[in-house]
Amino acid sequence: MSRWTAALVGIVSLVAALAAGHLVAALVGPAASPFLAVGNAVIDLTPTPLKDFAVRAFGTYDKLVLLIGIALVIAALAVVAGLLSRKTATPGTVLAGVLGAVGVAAVLYRPDLGQLAILAPLAAGAVGIGVFRWLHGEAQPERHVESRRNLLIVAGASAFAGLGGQALGTRTDVEGSRAAVGELKAAKKAPAIPAGADFVQDGTPSFITPNRDFYRIDTALSVPRLRAEDWTLRVHGLVDRELTLHYADLRRRDLVERAITMTCVSNEVGGPYVSTATFIGVPLHEVLDEAGIRPDADQLFSTSADGWTAGTPVDVVRDPARGALIALGMNGEPLPVEHGFPARLVVPGLYGYVSATKWVVDLELTTFAAKRAYWLDRGWAERAPIKTMSRIDAPKGRSTTGRRVTVAGVAWAQPTGIAKVEVRVDGGPWQVAELSADVDDATWRMWRLPLDLDPGRHTVESRATDKSGSTQPQARVAPVPDGATGWHSVSFTVG
Ligand SMILES: Nc1nc2c(c(=O)[nH]1)N[C@H]1C(S)=C(S)[C@@H](COP(=O)(O)O)O[C@H]1N2
Ligand SMILES: [Mo]
């Protein structure tokens, strides 16, 4: 058969296999779709430095880039297998079997998939082998027309199966469930954000980050789709009594509202993974007190619907003054699906990976000695309080017009709060910047400093001091293992 036909037979068989797997996965667990399962396994197995590189290089698109990369690799394999199979069908059959086995391994590796989930990669493998051998057998040079027709039939059936699987797999009406929640009313409203809480006109971010702009970091290739009506939160382990909480019970409680700045440990000096929202939810310490924490528990081990885990120090979450929440809402609406609907944890002052479990379904009181959370085996620290940091947001471009330049940015030191931000130009003396209105020690604070600069190239640096008097250190430290340090600096030309 021609090279073109051989390559096409390989590709079309692969697409058929993935589509069949996707369809079966819709019935046994959407995350079992072989393509997604392999993607998730790759995310889990990727060495931390490579993952950091991906986040740095591609930001929120890191997962899309990963999926495209995997698609290109297996498509290339399929083409090669097709080309190698011009004489006999064996190479293609072997590749289909191997890819099926990789899918099975990826599904077995997922902590959140039941035993039936294995049917999805098995179906993919079987369809891959079957379709390949059939197309291969029919694709003889003298039967050109039939073999073309067969390829089209398989391609059409695959599209049908794939799209059908997608529709079935996302049939959980999570948006309907979100809409049905309606307004979440706080018993204790957060004070209104004062005018003067940000310096947007000078180039800082807005004090409250709109939900669509809030940074997003998670390991989920397919976002867990949970309905509030079906959701429960189990509280167990080293407690006096186990609890099972339902959404309706939680939302009927006295909900509190609080503006909190969340920060990701992967954020580089000057990076974007920091955002602020007004969260509404149930104080976490109230729920833990109801369960009764045993004295030997030092870790709150939280698990999401997709098996991701975080470990938070008990002394932090049981402290009412810290204000940790089981959050149900964000900026006046139920949590967006990507930010953890129906419920997530938010703990002021701790990086997200040790505290902010989205789609949370399980809270276990345990010890740090007994259980290790997701990121710990990937090089990150067991404890990770947020480090005092400042970032320069303006001037943004490489050059400015006019000699009057307002340097502006944001600083954070949750839960202590920001007391001072200083700026220096070209290594000169530190000058104290103006701070925005003080809203809450759990949130960031904006700053600005107007300068008159001579024409030419300049470098500005900033450093923040928190309300306990400690100043952001100059030493540059990478995000791994417990958060970056160092002064942010920005260079530009005054023209
Ligand atoms: N289920 C789940 N929760 C998670 C994560 C995750 O990968 N899975 N990532 C954590 C990390 S590293 C951070 S920084 C915050 C980010 O929350 P956001 O995406 O709402 O900004 O969520 C945390 N909660
Ligand atoms: Mo994070």
Side-chain angles (χ1 to χ4, degrees), residues 217 264-265 353:
I217 299 276
C264 181
V265 71
Y353 84 103

Side-chain angles (χ1 to χ4, degrees), residues 6-7 9-15 17-18 38 70-85 88-104 121 124-130 132-133:
V9 166
I11 285 283
V12 169
S13 307
L14 171 71
V15 170
L18 293 178
V38 169
I70 295 176
L72 290 178
V73 168
I74 54 177
L77 285 175
V79 167
V80 170
L83 291 175
L84 289 177
S85 302
T88 108
T90 310
T93 309
V94 169
L95 178 76
V98 168
L99 286 181
V102 169
V104 168
V127 167
I129 292 174
F132 180 76
R133 297 193 69 94

